Structures are given as C-alpha cells and as structure tokens.
Amino acid sequence: MTAADAGPRADRSPRPLTDDARALLDALLAHDFLGVAELRAQVARATSTPGCRCGCGTLDLQVPDDVPAAPASGPAPVEGTVVGADGAPVGGVLLFVEDGRLSRLDITSHGDPLPLPAPDQVTWGPTRWAGADTVRRPARFRRG
C-alpha cells in the first residue's frame, strides 16, 4: 500500500451522495435535455465513490439497475465553469452518463485540485467540447 492509498480518499466503498454533491447534480440537471427526467430520478438512489486520488471533488457515481435508464450516454450537454472569489474561471464541472445511468461527476481544475464546488460557484452553459461523435473513456479505464 502506498501513502496515496492510505489517504482520506482510500476508502472506495459506495456511499450515499452528500448534500453538496446532490445540490451540484440538481443544479446541473435543472437544465432540459434528452434523458434529464430519468437522470433526475437516478440522483435519489445514486451512491458515489471518490473518482481519483489527486484530492479533487470528482466522483464516480453508481445507480441501481432497477432505476429507469436515460435514453442517452456520453457527456451531458450542459457543463459548468467553476469561478473563484474574483470571478475568474478556476475549473469545470462535467457529468458523464454511461448506458443511460449517471456515471461520473468530473471536477476539473486550471491549477491545484478543486474540491466539489458549491452550485453558486458554477455558471452553466452548453458542453462546448463534446459532440455526437465524441469518444469518451469507459468506466473501466478511469484514472486511478
């Protein structure tokens, strides 16, 4: 076991979503797009595990098989820009859907790893970098 494995994010057991994670997902899913109704319903039953070991707020999401799947996969068509106290962008929020289920809430950074941001730190807009032909990394190949 390395020192990174023994850190506070070493426990990879699925846990209920925190209020902060739920609030961020609710803010993102407040936008209308194909499959959003099913994704909103999935939030109530979703669990999460840390998405990486860098200290950021990224979460891998798990949804039970008996919850209805959305008719979509890939990156959600809405992304967030995380802004700092000075109003300048410091990172982003991306949601990935795999096989119609919430899969990953990715918190990106323009510098040091960002914790899960509060919804009032995020401005929302269309996902600019992903198109219908975007190939994204399947869950089994996520970073460690």
Side-chain angles (χ1 to χ4, degrees):
M1 180 184 294
T2 67
D5 293 333
R9 297 175 65 86
D11 180 5
R12 306 220 17 111
S13 302
R15 296 176 186 229
L17 294 177
T18 64
D19 291 342
D20 292 339
R22 189 176 308 278
L24 191 59
L25 283 167
D26 288 346
L28 190 153
L29 296 173
H31 300 85
D32 287 324
F33 55 88
L34 178 66
V36 74
E38 291 87 350
L39 298 176
R40 289 173 185 149
Q42 291 177 17
V43 171
R45 304 256 323 268
T47 58
S48 68
T49 54
C52 74
R53 296 173 194 241
C54 74
C56 71
T58 295
L59 297 172
D60 285 334
L61 304 170
Q62 301 83 35
V63 177
D65 290 339
D66 64 337
V67 177
S73 284
V78 175
E79 69 179 323
T81 299
V82 182
V83 295
D86 62 358
V90 295
V93 177
L94 302 166
L95 176 65
F96 293 97
V97 177
E98 191 169 311
D99 297 326
R101 300 189 185 291
L102 297 169
S103 172
R104 184 175 181 92
L105 183 62
D106 206 25
I107 309 303
T108 64
S109 170
H110 301 313
D112 292 334
L114 287 176
L116 197 70
D120 63 357
Q121 293 177 274
V122 182
T123 58
W124 302 101
T127 301
R128 295 178 301 269
W129 61 272
D133 61 344
T134 299
V135 176
R136 64 171 213 67
R137 182 177 34 203
R140 64 187 173 278
F141 296 113
R142 295 207 176 109
R143 57 191 156 158

